[in-house]
């Protein structure tokens, strides 16, 4: 096995949504693992603050804008790791029979469009290089979520992205490119403090381990999946749900 010890030395990583809680955790873990980290997002103030904290670089990029994504990707000589953890623009808390079609489709369109655009941009580099890793975050959720919460189109968006991940993995595998989803059952630290308590209780209650994954756990799992230690994994989910999803 190559890559001893587990590290990302010499790898260029682009993290869309890198100034957010999950993106920032992955960026910090990648930085510690030796990657050259580039943050991308829509809000310069938060991007700059996170980039300064991590000694990383950043660019203002709207992951829903095809021209902007392609233009940004063209500035790199290589892209070894691409991570998209941008917001899905979901609308929750409204029964579907009372929801507008625009609100229902918002996360579906946002998730599919942004993941497609950023994955395509990275894959064009990676297929030339003969290697690379594209990471998504979300995956197949805990089955009872439909009964507990009014989630609108969010889970439909997750399912659509998983279908995309499978197709990408099939097409890119012969070029040495891996496509992996970090499957989450929910990260309490990513929920605003004023709403966290009941959501954390629900997330933890569904696990087998009696605890939920932390942001640090997410970062470590991302390093593993993106490194040579995860080189046998593609076309699948890495389950970090603490057992809320199992089988």
């Amino acid at each position: 096995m190559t890559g001893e010890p587990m590290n990302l030395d010499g790898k260029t990583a682009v993290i869309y949504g890198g100034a957010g809680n999950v993106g920032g955790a992955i960026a910090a873990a990648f930085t510690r693992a030796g990657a050259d980290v580039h943050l991308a997002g829509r809000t310069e103030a938060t991007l700059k603050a996170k980039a300064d904290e991590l000694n990383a670089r950043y660019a203002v990029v709207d992951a829903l804008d095809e021209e902007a994504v392609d233009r940004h990707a063209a500035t790199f000589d290589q892209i070894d790791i691409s991570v998209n953890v941008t917001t899905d623009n979901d609308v929750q808390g409204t029964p579907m029979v009372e929801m507008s079609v625009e609100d229902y489709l918002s996360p579906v369109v946002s998730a599919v469009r942004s993941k497609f655009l950023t994955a395509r941009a990275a894959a064009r580099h990676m297929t030339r290089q003969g290697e690379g890793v594209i990471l998504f975050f979300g995956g197949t959720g805990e089955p009872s979520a439909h009964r507990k919460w009014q989630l609108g189109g969010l889970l439909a968006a997750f399912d659509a992205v998983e279908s995309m991940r499978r197709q990408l993995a099939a097409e890119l595998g012969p070029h040495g490119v891996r496509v992996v989803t970090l499957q989450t059952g929910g990260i309490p630290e990513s929920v605003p403090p004023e709403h966290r308590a009941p959501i954390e209780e629900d997330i933890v209650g569904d696990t087998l381990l009696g605890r939920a994954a932390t942001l640090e756990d997410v970062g470590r799992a991302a390093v593993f999946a993106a490194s040579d230690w995860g080189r046998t994994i593609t076309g699948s989910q890495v389950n970090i749900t603490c057992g809320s999803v199992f089988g």
Side-chain angles (χ1 to χ4, degrees), residues 27-154:
F30 280 4
T31 299
R32 290 192 296 269
D36 177 21
V37 174
H38 297 255
L39 309 179
R42 292 183 295 187
T43 307
E44 183 167 16
T46 53
L47 282 169
K48 184 178 186 306
K50 182 59 68 175
D52 289 346
E53 175 189 332
L54 300 176
N55 194 28
R57 282 173 276 189
Y58 75 91
V60 177
V61 181
D62 183 350
L64 294 169
D65 184 329
E66 180 177 12
E67 183 177 331
V69 170
D70 288 345
R71 185 171 58 245
H72 176 245
T75 65
F76 292 90
D77 293 327
Q78 68 180 54
I79 297 177
D80 301 295
I81 306 164
S82 176
V83 184
N84 187 323
V85 287
T86 56
T87 179
D88 291 320
N89 296 319
D90 52 301
V91 178
Q92 299 186 28
T94 301
M96 288 175 61
V97 296
E98 299 175 10
M99 181 173 281
S100 70
V101 65
E102 290 80 11
D103 283 351
Y104 182 83
L105 290 177
S106 177
V108 179
V109 173
S110 296
V112 171
R113 182 178 178 88
S114 73
K115 269 72 168 180
F116 173 79
L117 290 175
T118 58
R120 186 185 67 177
R124 288 170 173 169
H125 280 273
M126 294 172 181
T127 53
R128 292 195 298 267
Q129 297 161 190
E131 62 179 359
V133 181
I134 297 171
L135 288 181
F136 297 145
F137 181 81
T140 306
E142 199 280 313
S144 70
H146 293 282
R147 297 195 299 269
K148 297 177 182 177
W149 309 98
Q150 294 169 331
L151 297 174
L154 181 61

